[in-house]
Amino acid sequence: MKSKSRLTTAVICFGVLVLVLHVPLTSFVDRIWFSETITCDYSNVYDLCAINGPALLEPITTTFFSMDPTNLIMTPPSSFIKTRPYPRKTDKTAMSRVKELTLSSTLPDVWCGVTHDSPAVVFSTGGYTGNFFHEFMDGFIPLYITFNSIFLNHHQDDIILVITDYKDWWSRKYEELLAHFSRHPIINMDNENLTHCFPSVIVGLISHGPMIINPKLLPHPKTLLDFQAILQNAYSQDPDEIPSSQRPRLVLVNRNAKVGRMIMNLEEVIKTANDVGFDVTIFEPARNTSLVESFKLIHASHAMLGVHGAALTNFLFLRPGSVLMQVVPIGTQWLSDSYFRNPARVLGLEYLEYKIKAEESSLAERYGANDTVLTNPKAFTRGNWKHMHLYLKTQNVKFDKVKLKRYLKNAYRKAKIFMDKES
């Protein structure tokens, strides 16, 4: 009889979870571990857990307790789970930098120090935070997806962000963007002594894949264009003031030798771009680069050119119809497609691709143009990410001048059409 009673109660609680979160029942069936008060979905590249009722954060032990009074009767003292709130759970390197949190259905032996009226979303800024690309792919895009998957009955900024592996520079850098996700002060778990109570808690972020927002997986369809609109609201000082120009403006994203994939004949590239008709601006972003200034520069441009890498993530600031020209070094085709080509098309950009040939890669000097390293990267890496270091960290590029000019003329034609249309 007791087991039947526990099962009935669990089913009722599970039904309440589905109603509260507004997530289709079929998305949980056969994929979810649940006790009476805590649910976790382990079926994706992320783990997503929830306490669907009053919850208390005890920051010293990094534990979230369910405050459901029925726990006194129904839940054994050992009912708890551990999770790391970062959406790359199969990536051992990333997850080693993410603090483990505990969710417990045992009633805590402490009281609420601060009581909040808004629900909390808990995530980590560990992992690959520090890389501009991953700050969006593993951070802000999943955060946007999570908000639009779960909190349908809340005002968009009425959610409290609770962050572990907190970084002061990160919160300063993204101050304007964070304000669009929450009007509440961020709770830094790593520097907090008081207990906090919430009406409910979500631990983890939902990811649809690399730089993807899949409208079919959301209750109300959204795409990367909707996320881009938030960026414009956050960083545009005066969206109607884009200066006029006689020539299309090209932002040339430059990398330095320390990070690899550097343009070795940069001055020649600048001259060629000027010769075909562009006004060229060199853009070398750093961690402390103002995103307001980055947005102002890139949003006002008609084209962007850069070697595959994190700094190309600034393509999110380009206007639909402008040109993104990605330079694809040897061995990086699949990364280039997933991370920039596919999302660029969703954003309505004119996407162009410049594929580096063996003789344009610095690897040819080291291995010879006919070596497997250059002729068959898949055979060389054999699916081992460690072997990608060769292509990502030690490879630089030197453009063939004739080939580059042909590509830049095509980019100029498209950028000029866009410029004339906008003006």
Side-chain angles (χ1 to χ4, degrees):
M1 292 295 292
K2 287 184 178 180
S3 62
K4 288 184 179 180
S5 175
R6 288 171 63 84
L7 178 60
T8 301
T9 305
V11 171
I12 291 172
C13 291
F14 179 63
V16 172
L17 164 69
V18 172
L19 290 173
V20 170
L21 297 187
H22 296 267
V23 178
L25 180 63
T26 53
S27 69
F28 281 94
V29 172
D30 298 327
R31 296 199 287 134
I32 195 164
W33 175 95
F34 69 93
S35 69
E36 287 78 3
T37 56
I38 300 172
T39 60
C40 287
D41 183 353
Y42 296 128
S43 63
N44 298 287
V45 296
Y46 56 87
D47 289 338
L48 188 73
C49 295
I51 299 178
N52 296 284
L56 179 146
L57 163 62
E58 206 294 288
I60 304 300
T61 60
T62 62
T63 301
F64 289 86
F65 293 93
S66 169
M67 300 286 283
D68 187 340
T70 59
N71 292 347
L72 284 170
I73 301 172
M74 298 171 53
T75 307
S78 60
S79 183
F80 68 91
I81 62 167
K82 292 185 180 292
T83 187
R84 298 179 191 270
Y86 190 81
R88 295 180 71 91
K89 70 179 183 183
T90 61
D91 188 325
K92 293 181 179 179
T93 300
M95 299 307 284
S96 69
R97 303 166 183 167
V98 177
K99 190 174 296 181
E100 188 175 66
L101 309 181
T102 302
L103 281 71
S104 174
S105 56
T106 303
L107 285 174
D109 58 3
V110 293
W111 299 98
C112 299
V114 181
T115 300
H116 303 276
D117 296 327
S118 302
V121 171
V122 184
F123 63 98
S124 169
T125 52
Y128 292 131
T129 299
N131 177 294
F132 188 61
F133 171 76
H134 286 283
E135 285 157 18
F136 280 89
M137 188 180 88
D138 303 333
F140 286 107
I141 292 176
L143 184 62
Y144 179 81
I145 292 171
T146 303
F147 270 49
N148 285 281
S149 297
I150 295 175
F151 299 105
L152 303 184
N153 292 332
H154 282 81
H155 194 275
Q156 192 70 20
D157 66 352
D158 192 28
I159 311 297
I160 298 171
L161 304 181
V162 180
I163 300 178
T164 184
D165 308 303
Y166 186 86
K167 296 169 176 58
D168 287 328
W169 66 261
W170 176 86
S171 64
R172 291 193 299 271
K173 178 174 183 176
Y174 292 107
E175 179 181 2
E176 297 89 353
L177 182 55
L178 287 165
H180 282 261
F181 283 98
S182 178
R183 59 184 172 82
H184 303 282
I186 291 173
I187 296 177
N188 172 6
M189 282 184 62
D190 306 334
N191 193 36
E192 188 65 50
N193 294 315
L194 291 173
T195 57
H196 290 258
C197 287
F198 309 94
S200 63
V201 172
I202 296 294
V203 181
L205 298 177
I206 300 171
S207 173
H208 291 167
M211 299 299 281
I212 294 172
I213 298 175
N214 187 339
K216 295 180 181 179
L217 298 179
L218 293 172
H220 300 304
K222 304 280 187 181
T223 70
L224 203 58
L225 276 168
D226 297 289
F227 176 75
Q228 187 186 51
I230 288 185
L231 298 179
Q232 180 162 334
N233 288 334
Y235 296 120
S236 178
Q237 301 298 296
D238 189 346
D240 296 324
E241 275 195 14
I242 294 177
S244 60
S245 177
Q246 299 300 313
R247 289 155 57 97
R249 289 184 288 266
L250 170 68
V251 174
L252 200 166
V253 181
N254 190 37
R255 298 172 62 87
N256 62 59
K258 293 181 180 179
V259 296
R261 287 161 281 154
M262 180 185 68
I263 298 174
M264 293 188 288
N265 56 338
L266 179 63
E267 293 303 319
E268 192 171 67
V269 174
I270 295 170
K271 183 179 185 306
T272 303
N274 278 313
D275 287 347
V276 302
F278 281 114
D279 278 338
V280 181
T281 300
I282 302 298
F283 180 55
E284 297 178 337
R287 176 182 289 181
N288 60 353
T289 298
S290 163
L291 291 182
V292 171
E293 292 303 313
S294 295
F295 181 92
K296 182 179 179 181
L297 169 67
I298 294 162
H299 195 68
S301 70
H302 306 98
M304 175 188 284
L305 164 66
V307 180
H308 170 81
L312 274 192
T313 310
N314 287 278
F315 83 103
L316 291 168
F317 298 158
L318 288 169
R319 289 172 288 167
S322 57
V323 179
L324 175 63
M325 186 172 172
Q326 178 177 204
V327 179
V328 182
I330 300 292
T332 66
Q333 185 67 59
W334 64 277
L335 292 170
S336 301
D337 291 348
S338 297
Y339 294 171
F340 298 111
R341 183 195 67 178
N342 297 343
R345 290 174 174 174
V346 173
L347 294 179
L349 303 180
E350 289 283 351
Y351 177 79
L352 299 175
E353 191 168 86
Y354 186 105
K355 294 184 180 181
I356 293 296
K357 300 297 184 183
E359 58 271 17
E360 296 175 287
S361 170
S362 63
L363 296 177
E365 299 175 6
R366 180 176 174 184
Y367 293 95
N370 296 320
D371 191 275
T372 302
V373 165
L374 288 107
T375 61
N376 195 345
K378 285 185 179 181
F380 173 76
T381 59
R382 300 190 302 277
N384 188 331
W385 179 257
K386 290 181 180 179
H387 295 161
M388 285 297 296
H389 182 275
L390 179 73
Y391 298 106
L392 295 175
K393 298 297 184 182
T394 68
Q395 179 177 201
N396 295 314
V397 301
K398 185 176 183 179
F399 291 96
D400 175 272
K401 186 176 179 180
V402 175
K403 176 184 166 187
L404 175 66
K405 190 170 186 177
R406 184 171 70 250
Y407 274 78
L408 284 173
K409 282 183 176 180
N410 187 26
Y412 172 81
R413 284 193 293 269
K414 293 178 179 294
K416 183 68 163 59
I417 291 171
F418 172 64
M419 183 185 77
D420 292 342
K421 179 180 177 182
E422 290 298 300
S423 62

